Amino acid sequence: VRVLFVEHIQVTLAIEALSAYLTREGHRVDVFFDPALFADSLAPIPALAELFNHRRPLVDHVKRFAPGLVCFSVVTEHFQWALGMARAIKAACDVPIVFGGIHPTAVPVDVLAYPEVDYVVVGEGEGALADLAHALETGGPVDGIANLGFRAEGAVRVNPMRPLITDLDSLPWPDKDLLVHVWRPLYGNRYHTTASRGCPHRCSYCCHSFLAPAYRGKGPYHRVRSVANVIAELVEAKRRYNPRSILIHDNALIVDRKWFAAFAEAYAAEVNIPYFCWVSPDSINEETVALLKKSNCTNAWIGVTRSPGSAGDPGRRARFDGSVARALDLLRAANIYVVADNVYGLPGQTAGDIRDLIRLYIDHPVDLTIAFFLRYYPKIALIDTALAAGAITPEQVRNIERHGLTGTFILPDIVTDDTARRLSNLMQFASYLPRRVTQWLLADDRRLRLVPRRPLWIVQVLFADAYARLRFGKRRIPLIAGLVRTASSYTAFALRRVFYRFK
Ligand code: B12
Ligand code: SF4
C-alpha cells in the first residue's frame, strides 16, 4: 500500500526506521515535511504559526500521492499539531490515519478519543505498522494486530503488545534518503543514528520509567546492535553522504565496556569521522575516555541532575556521587567538548541544589551547560511523586494526557521563584566567568540580583562559542554556526511557504 509519513520540524529516526522497514516489506513510502514554523516549543508565536501553517500543502500532497495510510510519529508537545494536520486531511480525503510514537504509546485511549485518529500503534512500531499496511492493502481484518489500538462498536480497544525485537541487526538501516534534502542542510550534513533501543536506567522523568515496566515479560528491554552492523551502516553512510560528523543518539553509548572497546577500535579504523554521543557519569574512567578519544569522539553530552553528594535524587537518575566531577574532568582533560545537561524544576529541588551545581561547574568547568526545565510527560513515574508533593494537580495531569498540554521547555514557567531563575542563569555561566566573580555573586542573595531573571540562552550561546574558540581554536565553533544554519534553513522553508501555489 502507499504510505505517507507526516514529519514535524525534526527528521526523526523513528520515521526513517519505519520507512526502511515498510519499503523492505514492499510498500511504497513517501513523506511530507512540515517545518512547523513558529510552532516549536522553544519559540512559539501562534499567530505566525497559523500564517505559515502547512495544512493546505499537506492536503495537496495527500491528493497527489493518494496514500492508503497516513502516519504520524507523535511526541506529546506535537500532539495538537498532529491533530490539526490530521483534521485537515480528513476534511479533504477519506484515508485512514495512524498515530504512533511515545505519546500514543503512553495514552492510547486518550488519543483515540479524537475522531481524526483511526488507529494508534503502541510501542515498537515495525511489526504492527507492516501488519496494518498489509491488512489495508488486502482488505484483511485489523482487530487481531498486536500493538494496534482502534475504535470498535463505540468502544476503544488496544491490543496487547508483541514481544520486543531482540535482534536489532535484523532491522534495515534507517532510510536516510527519505529526507536527505532536509537533514543535510538543516543539520549541516550531520548523520544521526542509534546503536541500541531501550535504556538500562529508569530516570523518573523519562519515558523508560514507564516503558520498561510496560514491556515486562516481552524480552530484554535494553538491546544493542552488533558492532559489525553499526559500523557497516556508518561505512555506508560515509560512502553515500560523506557526513561532516555523526551523532549517535543512544541514551548511553557506553554500557557494555567490551562492546564499546570493539566499537571504538572498528570506528577508528573504518569510519573515523568526528562523532557526538551521550555518556553517563558512571561509565567514564581513564580507559573509556581513551577509547572515546581514540575513536574520534569530539563531543560528549553528560546528564547531571543534582550535584555530587546530594542526598535523595527525585529524578532517580543514574548514580551521582563523585563520579560526575571525575567524569567532567577526565573528558575535559582529553580535550573532548563536554555538554552538561541539567534538569530544573524537579519536585523537592531547592535553590540550594542549584547552588551545589554552580559550585560543581566552578570547580569542574564544562564547555556548555544546558538547563532544561522539567516537563511532565504522560505516565512518567515522576508524576506520582509530583502529585503526592502537590507540585502538579490532577487536572494538569489530565490536560497533559488528554490534550498533550505540557507547558514550555526552556522558559522556567514552573519555576516562579526569582532566586531560582537567577541561579539557573548563573549556573549556565559558571564555567565561563572567572571563578571569583561567580563565587562573589553566589555568596549573597542581594548580589545575585545583578543576575537577570529572564532566560539568557542566546547570551550563553555567544559566551559558549567564544569559550570554545579559545579552547579548541577555529575548528569547533558549534553553536552560532548551528543557529545560523538552522535560521537560514527555516527562512528558506518560510519563503517556500510564502510562494507556495495552491493546487
Ligand atoms: C533521539 C531523540 C531525539 C533526537 C531525534 C533525532 C532524530 N534525528 O531522530 C532529538 C534530539 C532531535 C530529539 C528531539 C526531541 N525530543 Co527526543 N528523544 C530521542 C530519544 C532519546 C530516542 C528516540 C529515537 O529516535 N529512537 C529510535 C527510534 C527508532 O525509536 P522510537 O522513537 O522509539 O520509535 C519507535 C516507536 O516509538 C514506534 N513509532 C514511533 N513513531 C511512530 C509512528 C508510527 C505511525 C508508528 C506506527 C510507530 C511509531 O516505532 C518506532 C520503531 O520501533 C527518545 C527517548 C527514547 N529512547 O525513546 C527521546 C524522546 C522521544 N524525546 C523527547 C522530547 C521531549 C523531544 C523534544 C520534544 C524536545 C524538544 N523540546 O525539542 C524534541 C522533539 C523532536 C521531534 N520532532 O520528535 C521525549 C518525548 C516525551 C513525550 N512524551 O513526548 C523522549 C521520549 C525522551 C523523554 N523525555 O522521555 N529527540
Ligand atoms: S539515562 Fe537518560 S535515557 Fe536513560 S532513563 Fe535516564 S534520562 Fe532516560
Side-chain angles (χ1 to χ4, degrees):
V1 70
R2 286 164 178 257
V3 180
L4 179 72
F5 285 96
V6 186
E7 180 80 275
H8 175 279
I9 299 187
Q10 311 264 4
V11 178
T12 62
L13 286 164
I15 288 181
E16 291 173 340
L18 294 166
S19 167
Y21 194 86
L22 289 181
T23 306
R24 191 172 77 178
E25 295 285 302
H27 301 286
R28 186 160 160 220
V29 176
D30 193 10
V31 66
F32 177 87
F33 182 78
D34 177 359
L37 301 160
F38 304 102
D40 186 44
S41 61
L42 300 183
I45 308 178
L48 288 178
E50 191 51 33
L51 190 68
F52 285 104
N53 84 73
H54 276 59
R55 290 192 293 271
R56 280 282 303 276
L58 168 65
V59 168
D60 288 346
H61 194 110
V62 170
K63 286 182 177 160
R64 218 171 28 243
F65 182 63
L69 179 63
V70 177
C71 305
F72 289 81
S73 179
V74 187
V75 294
T76 301
E77 68 176 75
H78 303 157
F79 179 49
Q80 287 299 329
W81 163 86
L83 286 173
M85 296 303 256
R87 228 171 277 138
I89 295 173
K90 284 286 185 193
C93 346
D94 183 22
V95 54
I97 293 183
V98 57
F99 278 21
I102 192 69
H103 186 73
T105 296
V107 283
V109 175
D110 291 303
V111 171
L112 280 168
Y114 286 88
E116 49 275 46
V117 185
D118 299 296
Y119 303 106
V120 298
V121 165
V122 294
E124 263 182 337
E126 281 85 354
L129 190 58
D131 289 353
L132 178 63
H134 181 73
L136 293 174
E137 189 164 46
T138 56
V142 299
D143 50 355
I145 298 177
N147 299 56
L148 193 73
F150 48 91
R151 285 180 292 272
E153 291 150 14
V156 166
R157 219 174 96 186
V158 182
N159 286 339
M161 292 204 278
R162 64 192 70 205
L164 286 161
I165 300 166
T166 39
D167 178 12
L168 298 185
D169 288 4
S170 67
L171 294 172
W173 298 331
D175 179 359
K176 292 287 169 186
D177 283 342
L178 192 66
L179 276 168
V180 64
H181 57 289
V182 177
W183 66 259
R184 263 185 149 167
L186 191 59
Y187 302 154
N189 199 18
R190 185 181 289 166
Y191 185 91
H192 293 236
T193 195
T194 174
S196 65
R197 285 191 181 178
C199 179
H201 304 298
R202 305 283 177 265
C203 303
S204 60
Y205 44 77
C206 177
C207 61
H208 300 295
S209 68
F210 74 89
L211 278 180
Y215 268 117
R216 200 162 287 139
K218 304 279 180 189
Y221 184 63
H222 181 237
R223 294 139 294 149
V224 188
R225 292 161 62 189
S226 71
V227 168
N229 187 270
V230 179
I231 297 294
E233 179 199 335
L234 297 179
V235 168
E236 176 63 9
K238 188 174 170 178
R239 190 188 66 78
R240 234 177 138 86
Y241 308 109
N242 190 23
R244 199 167 53 94
S245 58
I246 291 174
L247 213 149
I248 307 179
H249 275 294
D250 294 73
N251 300 310
L253 187 62
I254 313 170
V255 175
D256 174 346
R257 296 201 181 176
K258 224 167 115 197
W259 184 95
F260 184 63
F263 169 82
E265 289 290 336
Y267 189 96
E270 296 179 53
V271 186
N272 205 32
I273 295 171
Y275 74 94
F276 303 7
C277 68
W278 279 91
V279 294
S280 72
D282 52 352
S283 67
I284 293 298
N285 59 25
E286 281 84 356
E287 182 202 338
T288 49
V289 169
L291 290 168
L292 284 166
K293 192 73 197 157
K294 178 178 179 184
S295 53
N296 209 1
C297 168
T298 51
N299 295 47
W301 277 292
I302 187 160
V304 178
T305 305
R306 282 190 160 190
S307 63
S310 303
D313 182 351
R316 229 196 285 148
R317 223 173 198 175
R319 287 182 290 283
F320 285 105
D321 38 36
S323 67
V324 178
R326 204 170 108 80
L328 300 182
D329 291 347
L330 284 172
L331 290 165
R332 289 260 304 180
N335 228 18
I336 291 173
Y337 187 99
V338 183
V339 183
D341 178 286
N342 302 266
V343 184
Y344 284 170
L346 290 162
Q349 199 179 37
T350 63
D353 297 322
I354 309 180
R355 285 177 196 277
D356 284 350
L357 282 169
I358 297 174
R359 288 188 199 102
L360 171 75
Y361 298 123
I362 292 176
D363 293 334
H364 308 276
V366 294
D367 297 290
L368 181 66
T369 331
I370 301 182
F372 286 120
F373 286 85
L374 176 74
R375 254 192 271 179
Y376 291 97
Y377 289 119
K379 303 297 174 196
I380 56 171
L382 190 63
I383 285 192
D384 290 341
T385 319
L387 279 171
I392 45 170
T393 63
E395 199 200 336
Q396 281 172 310
V397 175
R398 198 70 211 119
N399 274 333
I400 293 166
E401 293 181 346
R402 192 66 191 240
H403 308 297
L405 303 176
T406 55
T408 57
F409 199 49
I410 212 159
L411 300 173
D413 59 335
I414 314 159
V415 181
T416 47
D417 173 47
D418 275 1
T419 307
R421 286 173 170 227
R422 292 193 160 97
L423 283 169
S424 74
N425 275 337
L426 184 59
M427 191 202 76
Q428 284 167 262
F429 290 90
S431 292
Y432 319 128
L433 291 174
R435 59 186 292 149
R436 275 165 188 254
V437 174
T438 318
Q439 278 164 340
W440 183 81
L441 287 166
L442 198 60
D444 184 332
D445 271 3
R446 274 167 309 178
R447 293 181 202 155
L448 196 63
R449 286 203 203 118
L450 294 171
V451 180
R453 56 187 287 283
R454 299 214 160 272
L456 290 177
W457 66 270
I458 291 188
V459 187
Q460 190 200 6
V461 166
L462 298 173
F463 262 85
D465 266 11
Y467 190 70
R469 187 186 273 263
L470 282 176
R471 207 160 98 75
F472 299 101
K474 270 194 185 163
R475 76 204 144 83
R476 254 180 277 161
I477 318 167
L479 299 173
I480 295 175
L483 282 183
V484 170
R485 196 172 42 239
T486 308
S488 52
S489 284
Y490 281 103
T491 309
F493 287 130
L495 289 174
R496 237 173 279 151
R497 177 64 186 83
V498 168
F499 292 108
Y500 179 81
R501 290 165 60 147
F502 291 111
K503 304 288 177 296

